[in-house]
Amino acid sequence: MKTVSILFPVSDTPGIAHESLQAVPLPNGSYRIKNIPFYTQLVSYHDTVKAKVDGDVLYFDAVDARGGHTTFVFCFVRSVVDPAGFLKFIEDLELRYEVDLDQCSFSVDIAPHQSADRFYEDFDLLGLPNDAFCLEALCDQHCRGAAE
């Protein structure tokens, strides 16, 4: 399966203008996202998008279809949160994820058949102090079918 990189604009993270996501070209000219975003709030894993070509670079143009996934980004304070423990928590819930330990963050995908509510409930059970982490739903409302 051939993948391509598509650049997505990032507006709310200082020093980061674009995020590159991997996608698979589809016969209709769209692309299916194959990794979990850390910064872009426009898409989630398995969404189908349109892209514009500029030279050798593909740039995000529009969402073609939602894949039904929800993306959460969890940023943590390394001295308070054990990354290995949080990784076990994610794996125990059988969630897809990507990790950036340099930035102390996990990007977590919740598939349509999984429960975002269960994620929140189980996350609360971890009992982490509020100043030890930030939890952000990057693509929750869009992926649940809200109007764009």
Side-chain angles (χ1 to χ4, degrees), residues 84-101:
F86 189 72
L87 183 60
K88 182 177 179 342
F89 163 74
I90 294 170
E91 289 174 343
D92 286 350
L93 291 176
E94 299 179 352
L95 301 175
R96 183 179 284 111
Y97 63 91
E98 295 194 27
V99 181
D100 183 347
L101 290 178

Side-chain angles (χ1 to χ4, degrees), residues 3 10 13 20 41 53 57 83 102 107 134 140 148:
T3 62
V10 174
T13 305
S20 177
Q41 297 184 5
V53 179
V57 180
D102 290 336
S107 187
C134 65
D140 188 34
E148 295 182 26

Side-chain angles (χ1 to χ4, degrees), residues 2-67:
K2 173 188 159 197
T3 62
V4 298
S5 293
I6 300 175
L7 291 181
F8 288 78
V10 174
S11 59
D12 62 349
T13 305
I16 299 176
H18 292 91
E19 179 174 14
S20 177
L21 297 178
Q22 297 299 300
V24 174
L26 301 174
N28 69 355
S30 294
Y31 301 87
R32 184 170 318 277
I33 303 299
K34 297 309 285 182
N35 61 327
I36 306 165
F38 270 99
Y39 303 106
T40 184
Q41 297 184 5
L42 303 172
V43 296
S44 275
Y45 177 81
H46 229 251
D47 285 354
T48 304
V49 300
K50 298 284 187 187
K52 292 182 180 179
V53 179
D54 185 1
D56 293 337
V57 180
L58 289 170
Y59 290 94
F60 170 75
D61 184 41
V63 173
D64 192 34
R66 295 287 177 195

Side-chain angles (χ1 to χ4, degrees), residues 86-145:
F86 189 72
L87 183 60
K88 182 177 179 342
F89 163 74
I90 294 170
E91 289 174 343
D92 286 350
L93 291 176
E94 299 179 352
L95 301 175
R96 183 179 284 111
Y97 63 91
E98 295 194 27
V99 181
D100 183 347
L101 290 178
D102 290 336
Q103 298 297 317
C104 300
S105 61
F106 291 83
S107 187
V108 180
D109 171 66
I110 299 177
H113 69 278
Q114 295 169 314
S115 169
D117 292 335
R118 178 174 174 214
F119 175 81
Y120 278 124
E121 290 167 8
D122 290 354
F123 181 80
D124 285 343
L125 293 176
L126 290 175
L128 298 174
N130 288 337
D131 61 350
F133 67 90
C134 65
L135 179 64
E136 189 175 347
L138 285 186
C139 198
D140 188 34
Q141 64 181 331
H142 294 299
C143 300
R144 289 174 179 253

